[in-house]
């Protein structure tokens, strides 16, 4: 009996390569960065202990507070935009319409491009002198912010669309058939069947969006550089970390920002899992 219960289960040692890889390339660098946040180091020589100086500057300086506000705003607006678009596209792509596979493949193309290539493309398109969009979009605070939201959505909506497409295909067709017999229209079926069945899918997608938005960097660096101009209205925390480390050579302060981002992203992810009930792994097909 014990042999039958254990049949088909891989030995825990199979997970050892992945655990070692994650520990060496993720946990160890995070621990080193956290330790470096309590030092003063310009990249040369030995780091000098600085106590809580970097953390005190992070919590009391006005610029990190403004950058945190911009980061939160960018995360909220980006998640709302990407969730709405990817949910609708994913549900549509899971349907039986003609040319669905071809259009789905076309929609997925932007995700295959690197963030740097996408940012350079839109930087050229939004150029006030040679671009296709009239006016200086990146020269205003609102224009630069909306450009960051749109460019990020253009690249990553296809990925989340694929997630919702897979989730929508798992919804039993019998639910829609029963609702149609009861006279439910398309909108009512979407609201009463599709959305509840996709709650775990939405939780997964939302966690990925939040973590991705908190680590947004390449697009800000190329499109706005924390601007417009010498302003800091779109300087999110990852860009502030880059400036502290690679422009001011204050790697201790940059490590404090990086450690704060890790803690914030982990905390938000755990809260989302808790609030959405995804951690309980309740099946949306229970009782069928």
């Amino acid at each position: 009996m014990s042999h039958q219960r254990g049949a088909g289960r891989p030995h825990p040692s199979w997970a050892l390569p992945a655990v070692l890889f994650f520990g060496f390339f993720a946990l160890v660098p995070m621990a080193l960065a956290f330790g470096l946040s309590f030092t003063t180091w310009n990249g040369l020589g030995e780091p000098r202990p600085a106590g809580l100086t970097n953390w005190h500057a992070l919590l009391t300086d006005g610029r990190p507070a403004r950058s945190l506000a911009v980061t939160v705003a960018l995360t909220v607006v980006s998640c709302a935009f990407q969730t709405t678009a990817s949910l609708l596209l994913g549900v549509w792509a899971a349907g039986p319409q003609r040319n669905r596979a071809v259009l789905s493949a076309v929609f997925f193309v932007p995700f295959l491009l690197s963030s740097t290539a996408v940012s350079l493309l839109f930087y050229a398109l939004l150029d006030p002198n040679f671009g296709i969009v009239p006016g200086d979009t990146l020269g205003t605070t609102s224009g630069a912010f909306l450009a960051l939201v749109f460019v990020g959505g253009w690249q990553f909506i296809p990925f989340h669309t694929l997630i919702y497409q897979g989730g929508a295909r798992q919804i039993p067709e019998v639910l829609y058939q029963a609702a149609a017999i009861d006279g439910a229209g398309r909108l009512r079926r979407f609201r009463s069947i599709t959305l509840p069945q996709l709650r775990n899918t939405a939780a997964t997608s939302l966690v990925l969006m939040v973590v991705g938005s908190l680590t947004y960097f390449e697009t800000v660096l190329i499109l706005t550089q924390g601007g417009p101009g010498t302003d800091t209205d779109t300087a999110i925390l990852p860009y502030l970390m880059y400036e502290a480390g690679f422009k001011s050579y204050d790697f201790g302060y940059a490590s404090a920002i990086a450690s704060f981002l890790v803690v914030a992203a982990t905390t938000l992810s755990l809260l989302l899992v808790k609030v959405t009930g995804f951690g309980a792994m309740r099946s949306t097909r229970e009782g069928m």
Side-chain angles (χ1 to χ4, degrees):
M1 292 293 293
S2 60
H3 176 72
Q4 292 179 355
R5 285 196 299 268
R9 292 185 178 180
H11 194 272
S13 60
W14 285 94
L16 186 59
V19 172
L20 293 176
F21 184 87
F22 179 76
F24 186 76
F25 290 100
L27 296 181
V28 172
M30 283 191 293
L32 293 175
F34 183 74
L36 196 61
S37 67
F38 297 98
T39 66
T40 299
W41 189 43
N42 62 359
L44 300 175
E46 294 292 330
R48 299 190 304 272
L52 297 176
T53 303
N54 294 321
W55 288 95
H56 182 266
L58 177 62
L59 298 176
T60 58
D61 191 9
R63 194 180 182 198
R66 292 193 299 270
S67 297
L68 178 60
V70 174
T71 303
V72 172
L74 182 64
T75 300
V76 172
V77 177
S78 296
C79 288
F81 172 55
Q82 294 183 31
T83 298
T84 302
S86 58
L87 172 62
L88 296 177
L89 286 173
V91 173
W92 173 85
Q97 56 272 12
R98 296 178 59 185
N99 301 324
R100 173 184 50 81
V102 176
L103 292 176
S104 297
V106 172
F107 291 157
F108 196 73
V109 169
F111 183 70
L112 301 178
L113 304 176
S114 68
S115 297
T116 302
V118 172
S119 301
L120 289 173
L121 170 64
F122 277 93
Y123 185 78
L125 294 176
L126 297 175
D127 186 275
N129 298 316
F130 308 103
I132 62 174
V133 179
D136 188 7
T137 302
L138 300 178
T140 63
T141 300
S142 59
F145 183 84
L146 293 177
L148 292 176
V149 172
F150 178 80
V151 173
W154 187 83
Q155 182 179 12
F156 294 108
I157 281 176
F159 172 71
H160 296 283
T161 296
L162 187 65
I163 295 178
Y164 281 108
Q165 180 183 7
R169 286 183 175 178
Q170 300 302 313
I171 302 176
E173 185 65 27
V174 64
L175 296 178
Y176 295 106
Q177 295 173 353
I181 293 175
D182 291 338
R186 180 176 298 179
L187 182 61
R188 179 59 185 274
R189 294 197 298 268
F190 177 79
R191 186 175 66 251
S192 301
I193 298 176
T194 305
L195 290 181
Q197 292 288 317
L198 290 177
R199 64 176 182 269
N200 288 342
T201 304
T204 303
S205 175
L206 188 59
V207 169
L208 295 175
M209 286 182 188
V210 168
V211 174
S213 297
L214 289 177
T215 57
Y216 215 42
F217 171 70
E218 300 99 322
T219 304
V220 177
L221 176 65
I222 295 174
L223 284 183
T224 68
Q225 295 185 359
T230 58
D231 201 352
T232 58
D233 289 331
T234 58
I236 59 175
L237 281 177
Y239 182 78
L240 197 66
M241 176 185 65
Y242 160 78
E243 280 194 332
F246 297 98
K247 286 189 175 181
S248 301
Y249 298 102
D250 189 354
F251 289 100
Y253 186 54
S255 298
I257 299 176
S259 300
F260 175 80
L261 283 172
V262 170
V263 173
T266 303
T267 303
L268 282 177
S269 300
L270 294 176
L271 286 176
L272 287 173
V273 170
K274 182 68 175 179
V275 170
T276 58
F278 182 77
M281 297 299 291
R282 291 188 296 267
S283 174
T284 55
R285 305 182 66 175
E286 184 176 354
M288 298 191 60

